[in-house]
Amino acid sequence: SYGGGALLFYTFSSQAERRKFGGSDFLEIQFCRMPPKTEVGIITAVDSVNHWFDDSLYVRGDDGVAFLREYDSIFDCGIYNDLETGKIDPYGINYYRSDLIEPIITKLLVTRPADHIKLAGWLDTAKGYNGFYILGV
């Protein structure tokens, strides 16, 4: 469902709907479907990541600057493809372990960035997975 205003996060019922709305210019926030004991190097490998899941959250490329401004300090613990850790890399793979989800939700509820309620609900669902990714454009 998508609209305007303070909405940063979009969901789509199909990939056709996503393509019609904005092509492929999105950051994708996606559940990590790898088994829990998977090595981080495998989880963050380019070949391990698939794109465009219907249960992902999407940030339009045009909203990327606003997203980074609002969320960089919250998502400051991602693991990159080179296994370094830091703030969101808007062009790469950012992996967040499942044990980071609750602290991230807490930060969201305290700082209340744009559209945080939708993200907090999605992250609550992510607890059932092996963490999540923020995949760059």
Side-chain angles (χ1 to χ4, degrees), residues 40 43-44 67-68 71-89 93-108 119 123 130-134:
V40 173
I43 290 172
T44 59
F67 172 71
L68 292 174
Y71 286 94
D72 234 10
S73 64
I74 292 167
F75 292 112
D76 60 356
C77 51
I79 302 170
Y80 308 135
N81 175 258
D82 65 4
L83 303 183
E84 294 293 317
T85 302
K87 292 186 176 187
I88 300 166
D89 174 359
I93 296 169
N94 306 268
Y95 168 66
Y96 300 84
R97 297 184 325 263
S98 56
D99 63 325
L100 298 172
I101 295 173
E102 197 56 49
I104 288 170
I105 291 173
T106 299
K107 282 189 204 179
L108 284 177
L119 180 58
L123 287 170
N130 188 12
F132 66 97
Y133 297 102
I134 298 177

Side-chain angles (χ1 to χ4, degrees), residues 5-104:
L7 252 186
L8 271 180
F9 304 108
Y10 297 85
T11 55
F12 301 101
S13 60
S14 70
Q15 292 316 304
E17 181 185 22
R18 176 193 50 80
R19 282 190 296 275
K20 183 177 177 186
F21 179 75
S24 62
D25 186 19
F26 291 97
L27 290 168
E28 181 178 2
I29 305 174
Q30 178 189 111
F31 300 126
C32 176
R33 292 169 165 82
M34 300 258 181
K37 301 279 186 202
T38 307
E39 289 179 35
V40 173
I42 294 171
I43 290 172
T44 59
V46 173
D47 292 344
S48 296
V49 176
N50 294 304
H51 292 272
W52 315 124
F53 284 92
D54 289 344
D55 58 3
S56 293
L57 287 181
Y58 294 92
V59 177
R60 290 188 318 181
D62 291 349
D63 295 332
V65 172
F67 172 71
L68 292 174
R69 182 181 62 244
E70 296 277 331
Y71 286 94
D72 234 10
S73 64
I74 292 167
F75 292 112
D76 60 356
C77 51
I79 302 170
Y80 308 135
N81 175 258
D82 65 4
L83 303 183
E84 294 293 317
T85 302
K87 292 186 176 187
I88 300 166
D89 174 359
Y91 302 103
I93 296 169
N94 306 268
Y95 168 66
Y96 300 84
R97 297 184 325 263
S98 56
D99 63 325
L100 298 172
I101 295 173
E102 197 56 49
I104 288 170

